[in-house]
């Protein structure tokens, strides 16, 4: 009897969320969203070092990769995000971070959307292809 097979991309997505959850500080609060089709996978409510809930939120877009292939300068260029998605993130009232999850090493690296757009504004205003550099030094494990 044949049964449906789970798409390997879906397995990577599920694993990336689990890895992300294990890599953030234990006192941060994950606020999951039910609709993930538009570029936000979850919100994080930050809790300070005195365990006070701050009300400060950040938006997270997770991107899972089996193994990140870093350049010699220790960055990875993430391409393939639609310019419409970047435009959407730029309108968000909360800071948006792309979190690149290496599912094999179980490490998470991040890049802020708005500062990336500001640094590469001339490329952004073309409203064509836009890519994000994720630097190895921006590891969640270093927070």
């Amino acid at each position: 009897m044949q049964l449906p097979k789970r798409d390997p991309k879906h397995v990577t997505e599920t694993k990336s969320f689990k890895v992300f959850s294990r890599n953030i500080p234990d006192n941060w609060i994950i606020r999951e969203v039910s609709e993930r089709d538009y570029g936000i996978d979850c919100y994080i409510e930050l809790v300070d070092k005195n365990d006070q809930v701050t009300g400060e939120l950040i938006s997270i877009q997770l991107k899972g990769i089996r193994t990140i292939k870093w350049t010699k300068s220790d960055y990875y260029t993430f391409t393939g995000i639609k310019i419409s998605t970047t435009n959407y993130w730029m309108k968000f009232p909360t800071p948006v971070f792309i979190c690149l999850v290496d599912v094999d090493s179980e490490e998470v690296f991040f890049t802020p959307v708005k500062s990336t757009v500001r640094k590469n504004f001339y490329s952004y205003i073309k409203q064509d292809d836009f890519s994000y550099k994720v630097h190895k030094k921006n590891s969640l494990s270093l927070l």
Side-chain angles (χ1 to χ4, degrees), residues 39-87:
I40 299 296
D41 289 316
C42 66
Y43 297 99
I44 299 294
E45 185 168 350
L46 303 176
V47 179
D48 69 18
K49 58 185 171 191
N50 297 320
D51 288 327
Q52 294 180 41
V53 179
T54 64
E56 296 174 5
L57 294 173
I58 57 174
S59 304
I60 304 294
Q61 172 61 49
L62 294 173
K63 297 293 180 184
I65 296 179
R66 299 285 316 152
T67 301
I68 299 172
K69 293 177 177 63
W70 299 103
T71 66
K72 291 179 182 177
S73 299
D74 282 340
Y75 69 84
Y76 175 85
T77 302
F78 192 82
T79 60
I81 295 176
K82 295 178 186 175
I83 194 68
S84 60
T85 301
T86 295
N87 293 338

Side-chain angles (χ1 to χ4, degrees), residues 2-25:
Q2 291 187 6
L3 297 171
K5 289 186 178 182
R6 186 147 190 232
D7 187 309
K9 290 179 185 176
H10 294 166
V11 174
T12 299
E13 286 175 17
T14 299
K15 186 166 183 182
S16 69
F17 190 82
K18 290 176 182 179
V19 169
F20 174 78
S21 299
R22 286 193 301 268
N23 274 268
I24 64 170

